[in-house]
Amino acid sequence: GSKKSINFLISYEQNKQSGVIFSTGGYTRNNLRVNLDHHILPTLKISTSNLFIYTNSNNPGSYKSFNDLLFVSPDVDLTRVNNNGNLYKILPDPWSVAENPLYPLYYRQKTAQRVSLIGNVIGNWEIRPWISTNAKYTYEYRNKYWNTYTPKGYLASGGQYLGGTLYKETYQNFNQDFQFSINMNKQFNDLVAKLKLSYLYENSSYNDYNVLGHDFIVADVPQLNNTDPTKSQLGSYEGKIVAINY
């Protein structure tokens, strides 16, 4: 759209994919874009472009299910029940060490979410016909979150029951750039004088936090405070990079 000295664009997109893997949800992405151009003065213009992205993924409970399927005889019934009555017998083929590829897909939950915000602001000012300035600020923010839940009573390929696990991880990254320049181009008779002054500032920071809880106290309650605190595993890292150029 436009209004006198202002041009703008607002758009929204949603993408849904149902997925084809057994007992695995799909993928959803939502995009929101906002662009704006504004001529404050005939010689002064400000532009901005911004994109917001949110994605949600339901990932397979195992990344080796197709590999396990190759080692299972074609006449084996993968829908047989275990001794405890649960579906999908963990070792359906007595002649193979591969576990039932359907079992982790059905009982283990893996999800991931991502939030991204990307944009820039640009300013151009023609102070005189022979001198102009340009300023640009860009940013990119990313936040990723992973969650993996293995319930209490999950069967290992050896036949033993596991106490269950809950893994959570979050990662944040924020990048910023600021650039400012002055451009001069003036002719004095037969002499052309050109001058450019430039400044660039770059800043990148990131951090990651993760926790793994073992052995649920109560079944079907996927909370970290429901796991054995003596077996918890914690991890983190963070950093920052700054660069300045003239």
Side-chain angles (χ1 to χ4, degrees), residues 112-186:
Q113 289 84 38
R114 179 173 66 111
V115 175
S116 298
L117 185 59
I118 306 169
N120 62 67
V121 179
I122 302 174
N124 299 290
W125 185 20
E126 186 178 319
I127 304 174
R128 292 288 187 272
W130 51 273
I131 182 171
S132 63
T133 62
N134 301 280
K136 182 179 181 181
Y137 172 73
T138 63
Y139 64 91
E140 179 181 4
Y141 171 77
R142 292 182 297 164
N143 188 345
K144 297 181 179 180
Y145 172 74
W146 296 271
N147 184 86
T148 301
Y149 169 53
T150 303
K152 183 181 180 69
Y154 186 91
L155 271 173
S157 57
Q160 68 272 24
Y161 294 98
L162 303 181
T165 60
L166 181 62
Y167 176 78
K168 292 180 178 290
E169 180 179 1
T170 180
Y171 173 81
Q172 292 183 341
N173 176 227
F174 189 33
N175 299 316
Q176 300 178 85
D177 296 341
F178 175 73
Q179 185 172 16
F180 179 79
S181 63
I182 300 176
N183 301 283
M184 301 176 62
N185 188 340
K186 189 173 179 62

Side-chain angles (χ1 to χ4, degrees), residues 21-22 49 52 54 56 69 74 80 88 92 114 116-117 123 138 148-149 163 165 178 180 186 209 214 221:
I21 300 178
F22 170 78
S49 176
F52 173 79
Y54 173 76
N56 183 73
L69 188 61
R80 294 170 55 195
Y88 311 114
R114 179 173 66 111
S116 298
L117 185 59
T138 63
T148 301
Y149 169 53
T165 60
F178 175 73
F180 179 79
K186 189 173 179 62
Y209 304 98
H214 291 269
V221 182

Side-chain angles (χ1 to χ4, degrees), residues 47-118:
S47 304
T48 181
S49 176
N50 303 273
L51 175 63
F52 173 79
I53 304 173
Y54 173 76
T55 65
N56 183 73
S57 303
N58 291 281
N59 300 320
S62 173
Y63 292 112
K64 63 184 187 71
S65 292
F66 288 103
N67 182 73
D68 288 337
L69 188 61
L70 294 174
F71 294 94
V72 177
S73 300
D75 59 344
V76 169
D77 182 8
L78 298 178
T79 63
R80 294 170 55 195
V81 299
N82 292 280
N83 295 333
N84 62 355
N86 288 345
L87 295 173
Y88 311 114
K89 190 173 181 64
I90 187 66
L91 292 176
D93 188 350
W95 306 107
S96 174
V97 295
E99 68 178 23
N100 190 332
L102 301 182
Y103 188 87
L105 295 178
Y106 185 77
Y107 289 104
R108 182 180 289 131
Q109 300 176 12
K110 287 188 175 183
T111 59
Q113 289 84 38
R114 179 173 66 111
V115 175
S116 298
L117 185 59
I118 306 169

